Amino acid sequence: MSKISLNILMKDNLCAISLKHLLLNLFNIDAQILDIKHISAMNFSDTTDLFITDDKVFSAFPDFFMTRKNRLAIVSDFGNSKDGSLFLIKRHASEKEIVSELSNFVTHSTQRIQTANELSQREIEVLCKVASGLTNKEIAERLNISINTVLTHRKNITSKLGIKSVSALSVFAIMNGYISPKH
């Protein structure tokens, strides 16, 4: 089985079961189908890599899903996302199109997970401090390291993630569960 943790949260149980079998047979991912009745009490931040939901569940729990946007595919009546910010799988597409979109979602998400997993624990600590708005000097003081070491970690983070701006690093940290969005 794949080491990817994928949860399916959908109102349509037949669709959820079908997706579970497609994921297992095509990508060797043993997805979990979860009961949406208890979604607000569930804690996925550290254990779930990917989610698939439908537009109705997404609409019912937007705060939950928007913080996990880059780990999410939504089954809907609409076409594919043109801006690349969300993975949309068209509900009434052909089998070939559905398999292609699932493949794109799994491939893209797996690459993102592997990239995030390449960060060292110290790089994650620095990323969190950067995303929290601290300066290099403040980060150095809080982590008890030199400013040059902070700069080296930031250079490595940028190189591994391909993200240069502080705002984009902040979004990455939030979307990957490293920090919580401030309300």
Side-chain angles (χ1 to χ4, degrees), residues 53-55 58 72-91 93 97-98 100-102 104-105:
T53 191
D54 59 33
D55 46 3
F58 178 82
L72 175 67
I74 303 170
V75 177
S76 76
D77 291 331
F78 303 104
N80 303 331
S81 175
K82 301 300 181 206
D83 66 0
S85 62
L86 288 174
F87 275 91
L88 298 177
I89 300 170
K90 192 169 182 180
R91 181 177 283 119
E97 290 171 320
I98 291 170
S100 174
E101 286 306 309
L102 277 175
N104 289 340
F105 173 62

Side-chain angles (χ1 to χ4, degrees), residues 134-149:
L134 299 179
T135 66
N136 291 334
K137 182 178 178 183
E138 291 169 326
I139 295 169
E141 289 171 358
R142 293 208 182 163
L143 297 179
N144 201 24
I145 57 179
S146 74
I147 292 177
N148 286 336
T149 302

